[in-house]
């Protein structure tokens, strides 16, 4: 089984390489990579069976790297010191992980599992994992699949979302505009229980940032950033009912 490892800490790369050489001789380690960019290049070059991947890395996190991969037919074993929301996502999607400092027995078990899953072709793909992340309620956060990778945002960071065909613009409280390759309907499915309302076929708004409502056939809503958005007639009553509950 061919493999690469991606970790920004040299001593972690060295320790893992030594453990693999000693306890997992079936693993052929092709490249130790110091960051996500190098990891992307190595994945494209070697097309490995297995990737050992740190999560928290400067510049490009492990999740960002996976989202940016063009070649995704490999298994992932995360190596991380952070036992938080990511672990639940990894477990759910049948991708393995090892908490640092790496224990040799856990390493052997994870590699054995990866080999078995390869033989039975039952491992969840990286594409499925990224898709899972973008749809989960990660506490009060959501993961947006951008061209560069995944961008993690809090729901409170978003003023409103605007449809652009098969894409959606996110207008943020910091003044930035993030474009993702998801339809507004798909975005609505993620945000509908986070205080958002579809007021128009082209707009999904954060009810926390409604400044005022202007009466009309459907009417208009003014957001805290002074942006005025239309409210469609068939969405008016639902919107006003939700507004009264805030």
């Amino acid at each position: 089984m061919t493999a690469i490892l991606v970790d920004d800490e040299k001593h972690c790369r060295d320790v893992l390489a030594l453990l693999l050489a000693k306890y997992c001789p079936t693993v052929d380690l092709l490249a130790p990579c110091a960051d996500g960019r190098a990891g992307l290049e190595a994945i494209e070059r070697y097309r490995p069976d297995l990737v050992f991947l740190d999560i928290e890395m400067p510049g490009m996190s492990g999740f960002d790297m996976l989202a940016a991969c063009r070649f995704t037919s490999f298994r992932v074993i995360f190596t991380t010191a952070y036992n938080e929301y990511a672990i639940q996502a990894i477990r759910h999607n049948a991708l393995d992980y090892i908490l640092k400092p790496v224990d040799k027995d856990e390493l052997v078990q994870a590699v054995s599992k990866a080999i078995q899953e390869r033989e039975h072709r039952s491992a969840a793909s990286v594409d499925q994992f990224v898709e899972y992340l973008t749809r989960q309620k990660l506490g009060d956060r959501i993961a947006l699949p951008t061209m560069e990778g995944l961008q993690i945002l809090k729901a409170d960071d978003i003023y409103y979302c605007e449809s652009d065909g098969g894409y959606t613009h996110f207008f943020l409280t910091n003044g930035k505009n993030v474009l993702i390759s998801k339809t507004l309907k798909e975005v609505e499915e993620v945000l509908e229980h986070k205080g958002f309302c579809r007021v128009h076929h082209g707009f999904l708004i954060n009810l926390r940032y409604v400044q005022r409502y202007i009466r009309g056939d459907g009417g208009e809503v003014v957001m805290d950033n002074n942006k005025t958005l239309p409210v469609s007639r068939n969405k008016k009553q639902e919107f006003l009912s939700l507004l009264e509950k805030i």
Side-chain angles (χ1 to χ4, degrees):
M1 176 174 274
T2 59
I4 68 167
L5 68 87
V6 186
D7 197 310
D8 62 303
E9 298 180 80
K10 186 178 185 303
H11 73 277
C12 290
R13 297 195 302 273
D14 292 344
V15 167
L16 185 53
L18 287 172
L19 290 175
L20 286 170
K22 185 172 183 179
Y23 298 105
C24 304
T26 57
V27 175
D28 181 12
L29 185 60
L30 302 176
C33 304
D35 55 51
R37 296 293 178 189
L40 283 175
E41 293 176 4
I43 287 170
E44 189 62 29
R45 177 180 178 183
Y46 295 111
R47 305 291 177 103
D49 300 310
L50 185 62
V51 174
F52 294 91
L53 181 61
D54 190 14
I55 295 175
E56 296 287 339
M57 296 184 291
M60 175 181 281
S61 72
F63 293 160
D64 291 336
M65 194 203 80
L66 289 180
C69 283
R70 289 181 293 179
F71 173 77
T72 57
S73 298
F74 54 86
R75 277 70 179 167
V76 178
I77 296 177
F78 286 100
T79 57
T80 176
Y82 298 93
N83 187 6
E84 49 185 32
Y85 76 89
I87 301 307
Q88 182 178 357
I90 295 164
R91 280 176 170 162
H92 177 92
N93 226 39
L95 297 171
D96 218 332
Y97 75 97
I98 303 172
L99 288 177
K100 295 178 180 178
V102 175
D103 176 83
K104 68 177 180 64
D105 293 329
E106 291 184 2
L107 176 62
V108 170
Q109 184 178 4
V111 169
S112 296
K113 179 180 177 182
I115 292 172
Q116 291 171 5
E117 287 181 337
R118 182 183 65 169
E119 292 174 350
H120 293 88
R121 300 189 181 279
S122 62
S125 72
V126 171
D127 290 334
Q128 289 173 322
F129 175 67
V130 171
E131 179 66 19
Y132 172 78
L133 271 183
T134 64
R135 291 185 174 274
Q136 291 312 295
K137 299 175 180 179
L138 305 177
D140 62 344
R141 297 180 286 183
I142 62 170
L144 303 182
T146 68
M147 293 296 291
E148 292 77 28
L150 287 178
Q151 180 168 347
I152 310 297
L153 293 177
K154 292 182 179 180
D156 284 350
D157 294 334
I158 306 164
Y159 274 131
Y160 65 93
C161 306
E162 181 177 0
S163 175
D164 186 4
Y167 296 84
T168 298
H169 292 272
F170 282 69
F171 292 88
L172 308 181
T173 55
N174 62 8
K176 294 183 178 181
N177 173 6
V178 176
L179 178 67
I180 71 168
S181 58
K182 296 286 183 182
T183 65
L184 191 60
K185 179 175 176 57
E186 291 175 299
V187 172
E188 182 183 10
E189 291 174 357
V190 175
L191 293 176
E192 62 183 345
H193 299 300
K194 292 180 180 288
F196 285 72
C197 177
R198 184 82 172 264
V199 296
H200 187 273
H201 68 82
F203 295 98
L204 178 73
I205 68 169
N206 191 335
L207 294 170
R208 302 171 186 82
Y209 297 124
V210 173
Q211 187 181 112
R212 62 194 175 99
Y213 170 71
I214 302 172
R215 289 196 182 100
D217 187 23
E220 295 178 317
V221 60
V222 181
M223 306 300 291
D224 280 353
N225 63 348
N226 294 316
K227 180 70 175 181
T228 300
L229 306 174
V231 178
S232 64
R233 183 169 52 185
N234 65 332
K235 294 289 186 179
K236 178 179 178 179
Q237 191 55 51
E238 178 188 358
F239 164 62
L240 293 177
S241 296
L242 290 172
L243 207 57
E244 291 174 356
K245 296 177 182 179
I246 296 180

